[in-house]
Amino acid sequence: MSEAVTQLAHAKANLLLRVLAREADGYHNLETLFCRLELADRLTAERREGRGVTLEISGAETGPMENNLAVRAAESVLASIRTPFAVQLTLEKRIPVGAGLGGGSADAAAALRAVNELAHQAIPRAELYQLAARLGADVPFCLGDASLALAWGHGERMLGLPSLPSAPVLLLTPPVAVRTAEAYAWLDEARSTAPRRGALALNLEALAAWSDLARMAGNDFESVIFGRLPAVRAAFEALAGTGPLLCRMTGSGSTLVAVYRSEKDRDDARMALGKKHGTVTATRTL
């Protein structure tokens, strides 16, 4: 008889994202503030006889199965246990794809948890985090329980922070795709002639309230992407014009995230925006 485990894969937003030095292997070190959102994909993992991982997806097109992070995560768990088995993954997508909301990373983290549960927790939590770090910079945060966390490096060094009160959020996804590799290339090109940036002091007092956090929030990708993609800049200006506490682009874009004081403020903003600048999704922080 088959066993099945269902996990929610919550989206993330980057409220702060600084891109630091580029390493010899081409990857960049990051400094980021992750925030978990209620918006979530739903992943079910079913244990079956045999070997291998199969995937069924509804709600969005995510590309070839062999490149899917949830499949790679499930395979990494199966490769680490003594008695592997077959896994059928069923994924219901609700997080926009390729939008900077960490949907693929959240799915991967959900697959790590679910397949490990099917394996009766054969892999210790610390080792599960190692598998997560190999899959991508956002996966360790998505694997954890913190609703707010500072992370460095490739996301593998992380400090969970005290939660802030749940706040209403609007996500605005312009009809413009931003490839992560292209965004980094634009940033590197822009920095070849840019002056050295000033310091940023991170402390817990500055992260203790939404109003304080808003003053510190920022995203290094915004300047280069707004300069090259006018539709994203226009969407940002429209969203910022609705009076949120905080408004930023998340990840390398193109989704924009705004945090509001009240649900009424958020819902009024949603009505005002309409569909002119892209898809608008209402959610909350966790």
Side-chain angles (χ1 to χ4, degrees), residues 10 17 62 67 116 135 139 191 212 218 224:
H10 288 279
L17 178 56
T62 60
N67 295 336
N116 196 38
L135 290 164
V139 185
R191 284 184 172 176
D212 294 332
V224 293

mmCIF file of all heavy atoms in Angstrom, residues 10 17 62 67 116 135 139 191 212 218 224:
data_model
loop_
_atom_site.group_PDB
_atom_site.id
_atom_site.type_symbol
_atom_site.label_atom_id
_atom_site.label_comp_id
_atom_site.label_asym_id
_atom_site.label_seq_id
_atom_site.Cartn_x
_atom_site.Cartn_y
_atom_site.Cartn_z
ATOM 1 N N HIS A 10 5.806 27.488 0.492
ATOM 2 C CA HIS A 10 5.493 28.915 0.579
ATOM 3 C C HIS A 10 6.469 29.766 -0.235
ATOM 4 O O HIS A 10 7.677 29.529 -0.231
ATOM 5 C CB HIS A 10 5.534 29.373 2.039
ATOM 6 C CG HIS A 10 4.389 28.863 2.852
ATOM 7 N ND1 HIS A 10 3.152 29.461 2.832
ATOM 8 C CD2 HIS A 10 4.290 27.792 3.686
ATOM 9 C CE1 HIS A 10 2.336 28.786 3.640
ATOM 10 N NE2 HIS A 10 3.006 27.771 4.162
ATOM 11 N N LEU A 17 18.203 42.939 -0.656
ATOM 12 C CA LEU A 17 19.047 42.066 -1.476
ATOM 13 C C LEU A 17 20.244 42.861 -1.964
ATOM 14 O O LEU A 17 20.116 43.768 -2.787
ATOM 15 C CB LEU A 17 18.265 41.489 -2.656
ATOM 16 C CG LEU A 17 19.048 40.586 -3.618
ATOM 17 C CD1 LEU A 17 19.704 39.423 -2.867
ATOM 18 C CD2 LEU A 17 18.130 40.039 -4.712
ATOM 19 N N THR A 62 6.559 24.530 -16.155
ATOM 20 C CA THR A 62 7.833 24.773 -15.471
ATOM 21 C C THR A 62 9.042 24.211 -16.220
ATOM 22 O O THR A 62 10.143 24.196 -15.673
ATOM 23 C CB THR A 62 7.793 24.151 -14.060
ATOM 24 O OG1 THR A 62 7.581 22.739 -14.170
ATOM 25 C CG2 THR A 62 6.683 24.766 -13.223
ATOM 26 N N ASN A 67 14.979 19.113 -15.211
ATOM 27 C CA ASN A 67 15.497 20.366 -14.657
ATOM 28 C C ASN A 67 14.701 20.864 -13.458
ATOM 29 O O ASN A 67 15.078 21.855 -12.839
ATOM 30 C CB ASN A 67 15.484 21.463 -15.732
ATOM 31 C CG ASN A 67 16.425 21.158 -16.880
ATOM 32 O OD1 ASN A 67 17.384 20.406 -16.721
ATOM 33 N ND2 ASN A 67 16.148 21.721 -18.043
ATOM 34 N N ASN A 116 11.853 12.805 2.695
ATOM 35 C CA ASN A 116 12.511 12.369 3.930
ATOM 36 C C ASN A 116 11.503 11.792 4.919
ATOM 37 O O ASN A 116 11.798 10.837 5.648
ATOM 38 C CB ASN A 116 13.267 13.537 4.557
ATOM 39 C CG ASN A 116 14.265 13.092 5.605
ATOM 40 O OD1 ASN A 116 14.927 12.059 5.454
ATOM 41 N ND2 ASN A 116 14.391 13.852 6.679
ATOM 42 N N LEU A 135 21.161 22.763 -3.863
ATOM 43 C CA LEU A 135 20.106 22.935 -4.863
ATOM 44 C C LEU A 135 19.905 24.392 -5.266
ATOM 45 O O LEU A 135 19.474 24.672 -6.382
ATOM 46 C CB LEU A 135 18.784 22.361 -4.333
ATOM 47 C CG LEU A 135 18.730 20.836 -4.215
ATOM 48 C CD1 LEU A 135 17.558 20.409 -3.337
ATOM 49 C CD2 LEU A 135 18.612 20.210 -5.603
ATOM 50 N N VAL A 139 16.833 27.752 -1.233
ATOM 51 C CA VAL A 139 16.252 26.501 -0.723
ATOM 52 C C VAL A 139 16.441 26.331 0.783
ATOM 53 O O VAL A 139 15.506 25.908 1.474
ATOM 54 C CB VAL A 139 16.794 25.277 -1.498
ATOM 55 C CG1 VAL A 139 16.096 23.986 -1.040
ATOM 56 C CG2 VAL A 139 16.591 25.455 -3.005
ATOM 57 N N ARG A 191 28.459 47.753 -12.759
ATOM 58 C CA ARG A 191 29.400 47.987 -11.657
ATOM 59 C C ARG A 191 30.829 48.155 -12.119
ATOM 60 O O ARG A 191 31.688 48.561 -11.335
ATOM 61 C CB ARG A 191 29.324 46.815 -10.670
ATOM 62 C CG ARG A 191 28.081 46.881 -9.799
ATOM 63 C CD ARG A 191 28.075 45.785 -8.785
ATOM 64 N NE ARG A 191 26.977 45.968 -7.848
ATOM 65 C CZ ARG A 191 26.671 45.107 -6.889
ATOM 66 N NH1 ARG A 191 27.399 44.006 -6.748
ATOM 67 N NH2 ARG A 191 25.679 45.342 -6.068
ATOM 68 N N ASP A 212 10.349 50.348 10.456
ATOM 69 C CA ASP A 212 11.815 50.441 10.515
ATOM 70 C C ASP A 212 12.451 49.661 9.370
ATOM 71 O O ASP A 212 13.410 50.119 8.740
ATOM 72 C CB ASP A 212 12.326 49.888 11.853
ATOM 73 C CG ASP A 212 11.883 50.729 13.033
ATOM 74 O OD1 ASP A 212 11.665 51.943 12.836
ATOM 75 O OD2 ASP A 212 11.734 50.176 14.138
ATOM 76 N N GLY A 218 15.895 47.261 0.274
ATOM 77 C CA GLY A 218 16.478 47.658 -1.007
ATOM 78 C C GLY A 218 16.816 46.426 -1.823
ATOM 79 O O GLY A 218 16.813 45.303 -1.311
ATOM 80 N N VAL A 224 19.407 48.353 -12.423
ATOM 81 C CA VAL A 224 19.738 47.877 -13.778
ATOM 82 C C VAL A 224 18.497 47.361 -14.500
ATOM 83 O O VAL A 224 18.347 47.572 -15.713
ATOM 84 C CB VAL A 224 20.832 46.796 -13.742
ATOM 85 C CG1 VAL A 224 22.151 47.391 -13.285
ATOM 86 C CG2 VAL A 224 20.448 45.611 -12.885
#
